[in-house]
Amino acid sequence: MRDLTKKQKRFVDEYLIDLNATQAAIRAGYSEKTAYSTGQRLTKNAEIQSYIQERQESRQKRTEITQDKVLQELAKIAFADIDSQGEASRLKVSDKLIALDRLAKHLGMYIDKEALELKKQELEIKRW
């Protein structure tokens, strides 16, 4: 287990709900006044990032929701025959796209430029 405090682990639990660092910090018990900066600082912490990734991978295995499945659904939507009311198979496309977008965010399919830069810096440090 990582050397994270109970509060940091709680932050990760809360963060994985909606990927909102500010709200996760508040729900984890950090000060509302500094929640924005605290959330940003915590998400940039290498140990916390590693723990978030570990938890996301665990959830992906448990739920069997993979990036491939999300991409397959996106492809189905992209090529679906939509009727004049904007529906396919009694399902509004906009509703499905929102759900897929949220799943994709939870699976880490969107690149966080700051996180990518931090990982790059970590690799450079390890080389030294």
Side-chain angles (χ1 to χ4, degrees), residues 73-91:
E73 287 299 311
L74 285 171
K76 286 179 188 176
I77 291 168
F79 299 109
D81 184 19
I82 308 298
D83 68 16
S84 63
Q85 278 92 40
E87 295 184 10
S89 303
R90 300 173 58 83
L91 180 68

Side-chain angles (χ1 to χ4, degrees), residues 8 14 22 33 36 40 44 50 52-55 64 71 74 76 78 81-82 99-101 104 106 120 123-124:
Q8 288 172 324
E14 296 296 335
T22 302
K33 288 183 179 181
Y36 177 80
Q40 296 305 307
K44 291 177 184 177
S50 179
I52 288 170
Q53 184 175 355
E54 183 181 301
R55 295 282 313 280
E64 297 180 5
L71 290 174
L74 285 171
K76 286 179 188 176
D81 184 19
I82 308 298
L100 285 169
D101 182 62
H106 278 287
K120 181 180 171 185
L123 288 174
E124 289 175 6

Side-chain angles (χ1 to χ4, degrees), residues 55-120:
R55 295 282 313 280
Q56 285 176 324
E57 288 171 3
S58 173
R59 181 177 53 202
Q60 181 176 330
K61 288 177 186 174
R62 186 178 67 252
T63 62
E64 297 180 5
I65 298 173
T66 65
Q67 292 182 6
D68 287 342
K69 285 184 179 181
V70 173
L71 290 174
Q72 288 169 356
E73 287 299 311
L74 285 171
K76 286 179 188 176
I77 291 168
F79 299 109
D81 184 19
I82 308 298
D83 68 16
S84 63
Q85 278 92 40
E87 295 184 10
S89 303
R90 300 173 58 83
L91 180 68
K92 290 187 178 182
V93 174
S94 61
D95 294 340
K96 193 165 183 179
L97 284 174
I98 290 169
L100 285 169
D101 182 62
R102 289 180 181 163
L103 284 172
K105 284 179 184 175
H106 278 287
L107 292 172
M109 292 175 70
Y110 298 133
I111 296 174
D112 178 355
K113 290 180 183 180
E114 289 180 13
L116 195 60
E117 183 61 31
L118 183 62
K119 286 185 182 189
K120 181 180 171 185

